[in-house]
């Protein structure tokens, strides 16, 4: 797909981190961008800077997502690109044992469900509502109508201690990529998934510098945390290259996560 002012995009999680980097990179190509996020202040500010629109959307809610698409499409027409970056990071062991009292607790299922609801169900809700619009649009070059880009994580493949819920949510995003590509193939809609490694975003920024340095040292090459620009560069290529479809790509400097 040629990225220019004739194309519009929706980026979830676009108020921050990887989504923000992608929204900015798309806008720099002239693409009209709608940001779906719950952080209204940050989302409005990014949208204003890039000449896009902000839609206050909670990806866990059908009506909220539908209203977001209504607003985005009223402003920019049918989106051809849907990038899903909205997500949350959670951590809890399958069984935890309190150090002081020795009390044993099974995994909190409310936390497990919330993680899957945002990361997996939220991604499916947004991409399916987006695809439902894309299939009504005219075909572009190569018969293409649109492209979806999802965000899983290397934790879909090598989840660490405490990542059962997060890995389950991202493993679902990873696993559904091929069947969705097959579902949408006749419609000319592609889908690909990025599995980021350890990226420097607000999700990470709160972390102690020493821990960040230790994480960077674990990455074979380049030995630094990934950036929103690294992510955006791949996301844009996945949009541009019509022959990449149904693929899941690690973006991780060759790291394989250890158990902890
Ligand atoms: N940072 C990393 O190292 C890393 C690694 C692997 C995968 N990821 C994934 O990349 C994606 C982006 O992460 P990031 O590091 O940029 O995080 P981030 O916290 O900077 O951005 C995530 C954005 O998603 C939004 N969001 C959260 N829940 C939402 C909801 N219910 N509805 C709408 N928006 C919601 C947040 O408001 C936030 O703006 C996430 O899916 C994350 O799991 C990040």
């Amino acid at each position: 797909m040629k990225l220019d002012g004739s194309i519009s995009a929706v980026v979830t999680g676009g108020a921050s981190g990887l989504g923000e980097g992608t929204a900015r990179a798309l806008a720099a190509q002239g693409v009209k961008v709608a940001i779906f996020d719950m952080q209204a202040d940050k989302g409005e500010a990014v949208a204003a800077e890039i000449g896009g629109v902000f839609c206050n959307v909670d990806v866990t809610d059908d009506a909220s997502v539908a209203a977001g698409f209504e607003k985005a499409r009223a402003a920019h027409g049918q989106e051809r690109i849907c990038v899903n970056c909205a997500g949350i990071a959670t951590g809890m062991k399958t069984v935890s044992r309190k150090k002081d009292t020795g009390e044993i607790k099974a995994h909190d299922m409310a936390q497990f469900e919330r993680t899957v609801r945002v990361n997996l169900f939220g991604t499916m809700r947004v991409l399916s509502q987006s695809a439902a619009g894309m299939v009504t649009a005219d075909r572009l070059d190569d018969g293409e109508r649109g492209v979806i880009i999802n965000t899983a994580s290397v934790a879909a493949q090598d989840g660490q201690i405490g990542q059962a819920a997060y890995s389950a949510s991202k493993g679902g995003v990873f696993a559904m990529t091929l069947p969705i590509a097959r579902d949408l193939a006749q419609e000319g809609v592609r889908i690909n998934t990025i599995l980021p490694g350890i990226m420097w975003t607000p999700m990470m920024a709160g972390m102690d510098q020493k821990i960040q340095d230790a994480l960077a040292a674990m990455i074979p090459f380049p030995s630094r945390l990934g950036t929103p620009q690294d992510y955006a560069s791949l996301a844009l290529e996945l949009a541009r290259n019509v022959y990449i479809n149904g693929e899941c790509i690690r973006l991780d400097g060759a790291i394989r996560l250890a158990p902890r």
Side-chain angles (χ1 to χ4, degrees):
M1 185 181 296
K2 194 163 174 286
L3 303 184
D4 59 25
S6 68
I7 299 289
S8 67
V10 163
V11 181
T12 77
S16 174
L18 306 183
E20 178 185 344
T22 305
R24 290 182 185 281
L26 285 166
Q29 300 301 308
V31 173
K32 293 169 282 188
V33 177
I35 290 174
F36 284 17
D37 206 299
M38 294 196 316
Q39 294 196 69
D41 289 356
K42 286 188 73 182
E44 294 277 13
V46 176
E49 267 183 57
I50 65 175
V53 297
F54 172 72
C55 308
N56 198 333
V57 168
D58 176 355
V59 300
T60 66
D61 185 85
D62 279 339
S64 173
V65 171
F69 280 116
E70 213 175 289
K71 181 174 175 184
R73 290 169 188 167
H76 295 155
Q78 172 61 48
E79 76 283 355
R80 298 290 190 164
I81 301 172
C82 172
V83 185
N84 287 293
C85 288
I88 53 171
T90 58
M92 177 175 281
K93 284 172 73 173
T94 304
V95 170
S96 1
R97 193 189 294 268
K98 269 201 178 160
K99 269 202 184 117
D100 43 352
T101 60
E103 187 197 347
I104 291 173
K105 273 184 77 178
H107 202 291
D108 174 1
M109 286 313 293
Q111 181 173 323
F112 194 97
E113 283 189 30
R114 168 110 193 108
T115 310
V116 174
R117 214 179 309 127
V118 176
N119 293 352
L120 176 58
F121 293 7
T123 298
M124 185 61 185
R125 177 172 293 107
V126 170
L127 79 82
S128 62
Q129 288 198 27
S130 182
M134 286 175 182
V135 302
T136 67
D138 293 341
R139 291 183 187 262
L140 306 168
D141 291 349
D142 277 305
E144 184 176 29
R145 284 192 167 116
V147 59
I148 296 156
I149 295 154
N150 288 339
T151 313
S153 164
V154 293
Q157 295 182 323
D158 27 86
Q160 298 187 289
I161 287 173
Q163 286 195 311
Y166 186 69
S167 292
S169 70
K170 296 300 191 176
V173 174
F174 172 85
M176 71 184 180
T177 304
L178 182 61
I180 293 172
R182 289 171 165 170
D183 283 346
L184 298 175
Q186 297 306 316
E187 304 287 356
V189 176
R190 292 183 296 121
I191 175 169
N192 294 296
T193 292
I194 299 175
L195 281 65
I198 306 172
M199 313 296 284
W200 200 93
T201 68
M203 238 183 210
M204 284 280 166
M207 207 178 265
D208 192 83
Q209 188 60 44
K210 272 191 187 149
I211 299 177
Q212 288 189 32
D213 293 346
L215 287 171
M218 282 163 34
I219 302 168
F221 183 82
S223 291
R224 62 165 175 80
L225 270 53
T227 64
Q229 292 72 33
D230 294 325
Y231 177 97
S233 160
L234 178 55
L236 265 60
E237 184 55 22
L238 293 178
R240 285 191 179 107
N241 193 325
V242 74
Y243 211 69
I244 310 179
N245 190 17
E247 187 56 278
C248 296
I249 302 179
R250 290 179 70 118
L251 180 73
D252 66 358
I255 197 167
R256 297 295 176 270
L257 299 181
R260 72 168 87 232

